């Protein structure tokens, strides 16, 4: 008997009818002769509603109390799904994250998994039960409830699959696989049969919302076979694995975009050793993640440099830079927030020169100025003004021969985690 971990996002269990459909899907998997562990997110907009309610009471609610509040959404989902399975004659049991053995660090709102003790899950499987586990949550050694942050349910599923040595971890969502770009923008996006961990990790880090980077990292580290498929149909999904066979003629596998981008520029900084270490060391201390960094030429022993952060960290980044002014003189700080990062990703780029030049040419034809560029062996990212993003993505998609004649499948609203 194969052991499957099946993860269903919020849109898949958004109401009672969808919950029944998910229960039937799990029952069908069991009827095929498989043992099933299921990870579930909160129903539909439950998490957003809880956050809105909290902010009506306190504009800056304490992180610990928010974790106490937000974990209730998943607890509702696992209980209801277990009830639905019992309703169709299946023996199921629901567990919170901590009951399933998830132990995390103490960072409320974005905790990291330290270890998993899956004995309770394995014991339930021995009793031939379907095990339903709440995603997105865990507990510290001191008994504090924590949440894993954005994408936490994906991470829960992959980490649990590694811990119980599952044969497959299936991520069910509103699309029936991983596409060459967002099928909501490009209706003829190409569905990929398979993709490497490295390519998927780049796409996830660059804005593709179908999988969270932490989940992909965990899958790569523990060699978990990952399959992304739709909860709305039975189409074959996309396999994420170590090595993939290159489709002939496909150099770029995917195009991602991230609208959560802001640029900070520090002008007139003394050109002396240690300046960048001082600036970015302080940003790191304050928990501000920096992406692209570009330094311009030196003039009159002063330099200018820019870096990007997520839009929701822009104010904090500017506060940190303001504090640094006490010890590091600079002329001026500026920022921009009407930006988007567009990226192309593909393992085939390593052996094909001119791929980046094609991207720059497309952006030029679209009348877009490139503000920053970042490259690696398998990706090129450009920070540009937001402008007409759908037209830009479509033009890039066509240029890299990714268009198909088939209509992409999108089954419902995008899962939030």
């Amino acid at each position: 008997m194969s052991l499957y971990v099946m993860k269903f996002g919020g849109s898949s269990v958004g109401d009672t009818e969808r919950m029944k459909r998910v229960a039937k899907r799990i029952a069908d998997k069991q009827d095929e002769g498989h043992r099933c562990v299921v990870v579930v997110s909160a129903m539909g907009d439950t998490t957003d509603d809880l956050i809105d309610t909290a902010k009506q009471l306190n504009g800056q609610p304490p992180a610990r109390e928010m974790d106490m509040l937000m974990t209730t959404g998943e607890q509702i989902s696992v209980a209801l799904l277990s009830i639905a399975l019992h309703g169709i004659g299946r023996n199921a049991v629901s567990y919170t994250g901590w009951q399933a053995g998830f132990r995390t660090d103490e960072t409320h709102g974005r905790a990291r998994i330290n270890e998993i003790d899956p004995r309770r899950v394995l014991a339930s499987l021995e009793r031939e039960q379907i095990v339903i586990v709440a995603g997105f949550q865990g507990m510290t050694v001191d008994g504090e409830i924590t949440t894993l942050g954005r994408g936490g349910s994906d991470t829960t599923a992959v980490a649990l699959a590694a811990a119980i040595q599952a044969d497959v971890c299936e991520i069910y969502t509103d699309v029936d696989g991983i596409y060459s770009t967002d099928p909501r923008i490009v209706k003829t996006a190409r569905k990929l049969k398979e993709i490497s961990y490295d390519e998927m990790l780049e796409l996830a880090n660059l804005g593709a919302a179908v999988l969270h980077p932490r989940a992909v990292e965990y899958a790569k580290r523990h060699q978990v076979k990952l399959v992304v498929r739709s909860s709305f149909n039975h189409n074959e999904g996309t396999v994420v694995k170590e090595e993939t066979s290159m489709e002939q003629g496909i150099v770029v596998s995917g195009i991602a975009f991230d609208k959560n981008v802001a640029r900070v520029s520090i002008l007139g900084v003394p050109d002396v050793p240690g300046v960048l270490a001082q600036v970015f060391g302080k940003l790191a201390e304050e928990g501000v993640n920096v992406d692209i960094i570009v330094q311009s030429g030196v003039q009159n022993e002063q330099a200018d440099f820019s870096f990007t952060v997520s839009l929701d960290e822009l104010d904090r980044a500017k506060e940190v830079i303001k504090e640094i002014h006490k010890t590091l003189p600079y002329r001026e700080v500026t920022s921009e927030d009407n930006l988007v990062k567009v990226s192309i990703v593909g393992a085939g780029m390593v052996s094909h020169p001119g791929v980046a030049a094609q991207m720059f040419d497309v952006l030029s034809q679209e009348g877009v100025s490139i503000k920053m560029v970042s490259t690696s062996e398998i990706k090129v990212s450009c920070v540009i003004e937001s402008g007409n993003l759908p037209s830009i993505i479509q033009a890039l998609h066509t240029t890299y021969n990714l268009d198909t004649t088939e209509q992409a499948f999108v089954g419902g609203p995008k899962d939030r985690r």
Side-chain angles (χ1 to χ4, degrees):
M1 294 175 65
S2 297
L3 176 54
Y4 274 70
V5 171
M6 308 168 72
K7 181 264 175 176
F8 293 91
S11 66
S12 300
V13 292
D15 54 40
T16 55
E17 287 306 309
R18 291 186 179 188
M19 191 81 74
K20 289 177 182 178
R21 185 165 59 234
V22 166
K24 176 67 166 54
R25 185 113 190 203
I26 297 165
D28 289 345
K29 183 73 73 175
Q30 188 183 49
D31 288 342
E32 293 170 7
H34 306 299
R35 295 179 296 161
C36 301
V37 176
V38 183
V39 174
V40 188
S41 297
M43 296 174 65
D45 295 327
T46 299
T47 301
D48 289 341
D49 293 341
L50 290 171
I51 292 171
D52 290 343
T53 301
K55 289 189 174 180
Q56 289 173 24
L57 299 170
N58 182 340
Q60 294 183 314
R64 179 192 182 277
E65 304 310 323
M66 287 302 291
D67 277 0
M68 287 287 286
L69 177 66
M70 291 171 67
T71 51
T72 62
E74 277 70 21
Q75 291 180 53
I76 292 169
S77 290
V78 294
L80 289 176
L81 183 54
S82 181
I83 289 167
L85 282 162
H86 279 276
I88 56 174
R90 304 296 165 139
N91 185 8
V93 61
S94 63
Y95 291 133
T96 63
W98 48 94
Q99 287 176 319
F102 281 78
R103 297 291 174 263
T104 75
D105 65 18
E106 293 140 9
T107 311
H108 287 291
R110 48 190 175 91
R112 293 268 176 178
I113 300 167
N114 286 338
E115 62 177 350
I116 303 171
D117 179 357
R119 283 178 292 180
R120 197 168 183 181
V121 171
L122 292 172
S124 294
L125 288 171
E126 287 297 316
R127 293 192 293 269
E128 299 185 355
Q129 293 178 302
I130 297 170
V131 183
I132 317 295
V133 176
F136 178 65
Q137 59 185 244
M139 182 176 282
T140 69
V141 293
D142 295 327
E144 289 292 313
I145 292 173
T146 56
T147 61
L148 305 182
R150 182 172 167 264
S153 292
D154 283 354
T155 306
T156 298
V158 177
L160 189 54
I164 63 176
Q165 298 183 323
D167 296 281
V168 184
C169 179
E170 294 185 326
I171 306 294
Y172 289 82
T173 181
D174 60 322
V175 292
D176 61 350
I178 296 163
Y179 282 82
S180 51
T181 195
D182 189 338
R184 298 168 188 82
I185 290 182
V186 179
K187 301 301 182 184
T188 55
R190 179 189 299 264
K191 190 172 83 171
L192 307 176
K193 291 182 179 178
E194 54 187 32
I195 188 170
S196 70
Y197 291 126
D198 289 337
E199 288 175 303
M200 189 65 243
L201 186 56
E202 286 283 15
L203 286 170
N205 275 315
L206 295 167
V210 67
L211 282 174
H212 193 269
R214 283 168 65 181
V216 182
E217 286 173 4
Y218 223 105
K220 178 178 172 62
R221 189 182 317 134
H222 297 280
Q223 293 295 292
V224 174
K225 182 180 178 182
L226 205 54
V227 179
V228 177
R229 58 193 315 173
S230 174
S231 59
F232 297 92
N233 65 33
H234 287 79
N235 293 350
E236 188 176 341
T238 301
V239 179
V240 185
K241 59 183 186 179
E242 187 60 53
E243 294 182 0
T244 63
S245 57
M246 299 284 292
E247 283 192 64
Q248 191 169 0
I250 300 299
V251 178
V252 172
S253 299
I255 300 168
F257 58 91
D258 185 0
K259 293 189 272 190
N260 185 29
V261 177
R263 180 168 79 158
V264 178
S265 299
I266 307 178
L267 312 177
V269 179
D271 181 38
V272 296
V275 168
L276 293 181
Q278 183 178 347
V279 172
F280 295 106
K282 187 62 177 176
L283 287 165
E285 283 178 21
E286 297 299 321
V288 177
N289 290 316
V290 175
D291 185 16
I292 302 173
I293 304 171
V294 175
Q295 181 172 335
S296 60
V298 178
Q299 190 172 21
N300 299 324
E301 298 184 340
Q302 290 187 329
D304 303 336
F305 64 90
S306 302
F307 59 91
T308 60
V309 295
S310 62
L311 200 55
D312 49 7
E313 291 190 324
L314 175 59
D315 290 340
R316 188 151 51 122
K318 290 195 291 186
E319 283 298 317
V320 171
I321 301 305
K322 185 178 178 181
E323 286 293 318
I324 291 175
H325 196 250
K326 298 172 184 176
T327 55
L328 177 67
Y330 54 76
R331 186 175 71 254
E332 184 183 3
V333 174
T334 63
S335 64
E336 297 172 84
D337 57 13
N338 60 332
L339 304 174
V340 63
K341 180 171 67 177
V342 177
S343 308
I344 57 173
V345 174
M349 292 167 57
V350 176
S351 55
H352 287 76
V355 177
Q358 282 181 289
M359 183 181 192
F360 302 151
D361 184 53
V362 169
L363 293 176
S364 174
Q365 291 180 34
E366 290 291 317
V368 176
S369 297
I370 300 172
K371 294 180 176 289
M372 304 175 82
V373 177
S374 174
T375 65
S376 74
E377 284 188 334
I378 64 170
K379 67 99 173 174
V380 179
S381 296
C382 295
V383 177
I384 60 176
E385 290 186 358
S386 52
N388 187 10
L389 182 62
S391 174
I392 292 167
I393 299 300
Q394 180 65 74
L396 287 168
H397 201 266
T398 301
T399 295
Y400 293 113
N401 300 313
L402 293 172
D403 292 340
T404 68
T405 57
E406 298 178 8
Q407 192 82 355
F409 175 84
V410 181
K414 184 169 65 177
D415 285 338
R416 288 171 172 78
R417 66 168 191 264

